[in-house]
Amino acid sequence: GVVVRRKLRRSALLEFFAALPPALIDMEACGGAHYWARELTRLGHTVRLMPPAYVKPYLKRGKTDAADAEAI
């Protein structure tokens, strides 16, 4: 199930994840995903990147960032 459902600005993302204990974070691979994966790994989290083709079958509605996050 969903543990946290928050809308974050890019500037607040690292601060939010720095306050969390180390966790497994799944992300859809995209242009900036590798950068964020490196930054989150530095904070002690484990990051897994998924190709967009693996996320698409789980989408329940239109392709938005929130829908993608829920599908992942």
Side-chain angles (χ1 to χ4, degrees):
V2 176
V3 177
V4 177
R5 186 181 303 229
R6 285 185 68 183
K7 193 173 196 175
L8 294 171
R9 295 191 187 280
R10 189 174 294 144
S11 61
L13 193 67
L14 287 178
E15 182 180 318
F16 173 77
F17 280 105
L20 293 177
L24 173 64
I25 301 171
D26 287 326
M27 295 173 37
E28 181 179 4
C30 66
H34 294 282
Y35 166 77
W36 288 111
R38 285 191 303 272
E39 294 296 319
L40 294 172
T41 300
R42 284 187 192 124
L43 294 175
H45 299 289
T46 303
V47 180
R48 293 190 309 191
L49 298 176
M50 301 172 70
Y54 288 7
V55 176
K56 189 156 179 77
Y58 296 100
L59 291 176
K60 297 176 190 169
R61 54 191 183 281
K63 184 149 176 59
T64 64
D65 289 340
D68 288 351
E70 188 175 335
I72 291 171

